Amino acid sequence: MSIQRIYKYAFILITFSALVTFGSKSVYAQATDTTSADTTVHKVKKKETAGRQLCIGVNLVRPALNFYTPDQFGYEFEWDYYTHNEFYLAGEGGWGGSWVNYTNPTLQYTTENEFLTFGFNKSILPRDRPTDWDMMFIGMRAGVAPVKRSPVSYTILDSVWGNTPDTTTKGQNFAAVWAELTGGMRVELLKGLMAGWNFRARFLLDAKSFSELSPIYIAGYGRGDKNVAFDMNVYVSYGIRWRRRNSVDTSALHK
Amino acid sequence: MTKPGKYLYIVLIALSVVGWLACTQTRQPCETPLTASLNIEMQHLPTDTATIFVDTVLPGAEFIPISHLPNKGPDTAIYPQGTNFTISLSPVDTMCQWAFTTDSSHFGFDTMTFYYQRQVQFISNACGYVDFYNIDTVITTRHNIDSVHILNKSVTNNVNTTHLQICIHPDYF
């Protein structure tokens, strides 16, 4: 995939995130203006009392899968940052690889890649109190992974004419770009320490990158030979919080 | 969330992870044909003056690869499926030959020589690579074969495409 395409997808994601962020702010601002113009309507502007939270976590499923599937490995971390109105900027990052060493017919290669995703989560669970950080959420991401694939060694079986001798093709570097829908839950087990799971549906945006050979595993995406990949993650994370306000600001009450 | 709810939640997570791990599999089974098949349709003209070809059923017909491999040849003969045959091209060369007879007990063989280009195609991690072909020329002797028509030059693992039409000489009937 060309670098222009990566820029294009990054641009689409950033534009979409900005629209969601500033769109929700402008709706909020419009509601405030309406209130000030119409003095007969009593509305309370609920101030953001939860403060800010930066949460950093690690995916526990990946190390477990590394143990069960010796032909692939991956490590994955996540972060999210609470902005306002139950809206979180979020992303993941990590690295991984795979070793394919099949026989009959022979197929041998390795892959390695890092990955980054960026997007948002929106909590759909009403907050009980400002200190309540339990959440059920939905979200979107865009992900990119530069993949390095080793030379591929293979044979072609033919019972009539005989098998082709071992053939080796050149290695290849390419980028995988995908969009992602996610949803899940997270609860605070101890102060600041949280655990949660999420399901992900990933949609490969440029499958042509894999036309020569679809890698068996791309860290961050999943099976490279599928245009749609599903995944489940379990995270343990720690939240750092600041700027919490202790009461609801009633200064916006209008007579 | 209440405390019992949180414990239940953790149990659900653990069960989900176990389920997820159980679904993990290494090499998937290959469900795609691993050989590019050259599909042949047999036809003939009912009389010397006829202009319309009709399908030909040849129950005693046989295709035998003329292979340079030891222990290959008659044991890899191809027999008809109705009016159709499916043979393969050699992935180790850009030409190959098949011997063909309409009835192996009574008639001699024709030799068909195929010239083609090979193109390696990745199918999947389960199946690996196969060769697809593009037929350039088919040359044949004419003991029982009247003519050969290439209907589709591209030979892939699509079993539903007819690539070649072989017209049997009217004298055979």
Side-chain angles (χ1 to χ4, degrees):
Chain A
M1 175 182 290
S2 67
I3 197 78
Q4 285 87 352
R5 284 203 171 181
I6 296 171
Y7 283 141
K8 187 178 87 177
Y9 292 125
F11 175 77
I12 290 168
L13 177 76
I14 291 165
T15 308
F16 187 75
S17 299
L19 280 174
V20 171
T21 309
F22 297 116
S24 60
K25 275 185 177 171
S26 67
V27 168
Y28 197 62
Q30 273 182 359
T32 310
D33 292 346
T34 309
T35 308
S36 59
D38 183 0
T39 55
T40 60
V41 178
H42 292 248
K43 280 192 177 176
V44 177
K45 178 187 174 186
K46 191 178 177 184
K47 276 233 168 183
E48 192 64 61
T49 54
R52 294 283 181 266
Q53 174 182 265
L54 175 65
C55 212
I56 296 167
V58 60
N59 181 3
L60 299 181
V61 172
R62 264 292 125 208
L65 279 174
N66 294 347
F67 180 74
Y68 271 82
T69 54
D71 55 351
Q72 56 181 248
F73 76 97
Y75 297 95
E76 194 171 320
F77 299 90
E78 59 126 20
W79 64 270
D80 63 68
Y81 172 68
Y82 179 67
T83 58
H84 70 288
N85 201 22
E86 306 309 322
F87 183 84
Y88 297 73
L89 291 175
E92 290 83 25
W95 70 94
S98 64
W99 303 271
V100 171
N101 189 7
Y102 295 155
T103 54
N104 200 29
T106 301
L107 182 67
Q108 294 171 337
Y109 66 88
T110 62
T111 62
E112 282 181 20
N113 75 278
E114 299 84 36
F115 73 93
L116 280 174
T117 67
F118 179 73
F120 65 88
N121 288 337
K122 172 79 178 167
S123 175
I124 53 176
L125 203 64
R127 190 184 287 265
D128 287 342
R129 55 194 185 284
T131 55
D132 177 18
W133 290 96
D134 294 349
M135 63 189 284
M136 184 180 284
F137 62 91
I138 54 173
M140 289 180 73
R141 304 276 191 283
V144 62
V147 184
K148 282 179 238 171
R149 198 205 67 215
S150 72
V152 182
S153 176
Y154 66 89
T155 55
I156 297 175
L157 302 182
D158 193 297
S159 58
V160 175
W161 302 103
N163 303 340
T164 58
D166 271 0
T167 311
T168 303
T169 66
K170 283 196 297 184
Q172 191 188 19
N173 295 340
F174 54 89
V177 179
W178 66 91
E180 192 170 306
L181 294 176
T182 183
M185 286 181 72
R186 186 169 73 188
V187 295
E188 187 168 15
L189 299 174
L190 298 169
K191 188 175 170 58
L193 183 68
M194 293 184 274
W197 57 264
N198 60 49
F199 281 103
R200 296 176 188 277
R202 298 182 174 115
F203 306 92
L204 200 60
L205 293 180
D206 193 355
K208 283 181 186 170
S209 306
F210 301 161
S211 57
E212 194 181 314
L213 186 149
S214 308
I216 191 130
Y217 171 67
I218 299 169
Y221 177 77
R223 289 187 53 161
D225 52 0
K226 301 280 182 191
N227 288 338
V228 180
F230 297 96
D231 196 7
M232 197 197 99
N233 303 310
V234 175
Y235 286 101
V236 169
S237 47
Y238 187 76
I240 306 159
R241 293 156 192 162
W242 68 95
R243 278 178 63 186
R244 180 177 298 153
R245 294 174 191 180
N246 292 324
S247 61
V248 174
D249 187 349
T250 55
S251 63
L253 278 172
H254 299 282
K255 292 178 182 176
Chain B
M1 194 178 279
T2 59
K3 249 189 174 178
K6 284 187 182 180
Y7 290 131
L8 180 65
Y9 170 78
I10 291 166
V11 170
L12 281 174
I13 287 176
L15 287 174
S16 304
V17 171
V18 169
W20 186 251
L21 293 176
C23 293
T24 307
Q25 199 177 359
T26 50
R27 193 174 201 178
Q28 303 282 320
C30 176
E31 293 169 350
T32 309
L34 273 178
T35 306
S37 51
L38 182 93
N39 302 313
I40 300 171
E41 185 181 54
M42 292 292 172
Q43 297 212 317
H44 75 279
L45 286 172
T47 62
D48 282 341
T49 54
T51 54
I52 298 172
F53 286 97
V54 294
D55 288 349
T56 308
V57 178
L58 299 167
E62 204 176 338
F63 270 95
I64 298 172
I66 301 174
S67 172
H68 302 292
L69 290 172
N71 305 321
K72 297 287 178 188
D75 58 330
T76 50
I78 307 286
Y79 300 98
Q81 301 107 42
T83 61
N84 299 314
F85 288 80
T86 297
I87 63 172
S88 63
L89 301 176
S90 169
V92 292
D93 206 343
T94 54
M95 67 83 75
C96 68
Q97 289 184 310
W98 284 85
F100 168 73
T101 178
T102 47
D103 189 335
S104 53
S105 57
H106 294 94
F107 296 94
F109 282 83
D110 278 305
T111 302
M112 299 180 70
T113 307
F114 296 85
Y115 294 91
Y116 50 87
Q117 293 159 30
R118 286 186 288 140
Q119 186 188 2
V120 174
Q121 182 73 38
F122 177 76
I123 300 295
S124 65
N125 285 288
C127 304
Y129 287 83
V130 299
D131 267 311
F132 287 172
Y133 308 94
N134 199 53
I135 301 172
D136 290 327
T137 318
V138 181
I139 297 171
T140 180
T141 56
R142 292 179 177 235
H143 300 298
N144 294 316
I145 294 174
D146 180 70
S147 58
V148 173
H149 306 281
I150 300 172
L151 303 181
N152 193 327
K153 289 189 167 194
S154 177
V155 181
T156 66
N157 58 354
N158 181 357
V159 294
N160 297 319
T161 306
T162 302
H163 304 97
L164 217 62
Q165 193 179 57
I166 296 180
C167 298
I168 307 300
H169 204 283
D171 292 348
Y172 170 72
F173 304 95

